[in-house]
Amino acid sequence: QVRVAESGGGLVQAGDSLRLSCAASGRTFSGYAMGWFRQAPGKEREFVAACSSSGGGTYYTDSVKGRFTISRDNARNTVYLEMNSLKPEDTAVYYCAAQKYKGPFVYAVVTKPTNFGSWGQGTQVTVSS
């Protein structure tokens, strides 16, 4: 129902910052919890961050807590991932996703890729030492 497309990735040095954007289409965007996931070559897609439909609730994987911030602007149908103090281990393709089911915003649900039904094509983030 909702389509998403990521942008903002690039090549940066360790310690730099990037802000990823996820543009969504669909009038019901504001009703979806949104998530950011990442996948490095040869590895499984992993959870990074998620926000509730209102943007008031957030979850982060431990490795990015304090460094990454997820936010959304429902008026612009856009979700953001502000990434600070980037590390080489953050290198991956980052994906934006919309939650498949509009249930309670709970960790067990929003951290699983299979619970998201709409995915972007991904944007590459490469962090050099």
Side-chain angles (χ1 to χ4, degrees), residues 81-96:
L81 184 67
E82 181 182 340
M83 305 183 294
N84 299 314
S85 301
L86 283 163
K87 304 175 180 179
E89 53 262 41
D90 294 318
T91 296
V93 176
Y94 283 70
Y95 296 90
C96 177

Side-chain angles (χ1 to χ4, degrees), residues 12 36 49 70 86 93 104 107:
V12 297
W36 284 97
I70 187 171
L86 283 163
V93 176
Y107 185 87

Side-chain angles (χ1 to χ4, degrees), residues 46-100:
E46 65 175 348
F47 169 76
V48 177
C51 65
S52 63
S53 59
S54 67
T58 60
Y59 291 118
Y60 299 92
T61 191
D62 287 343
S63 64
V64 307
K65 287 182 179 178
R67 298 190 299 121
F68 290 11
T69 302
I70 187 171
S71 62
R72 66 192 296 161
D73 186 342
N74 286 341
R76 296 183 177 181
N77 283 7
T78 304
V79 62
Y80 305 96
L81 184 67
E82 181 182 340
M83 305 183 294
N84 299 314
S85 301
L86 283 163
K87 304 175 180 179
E89 53 262 41
D90 294 318
T91 296
V93 176
Y94 283 70
Y95 296 90
C96 177
Q99 188 177 331
K100 186 176 183 179

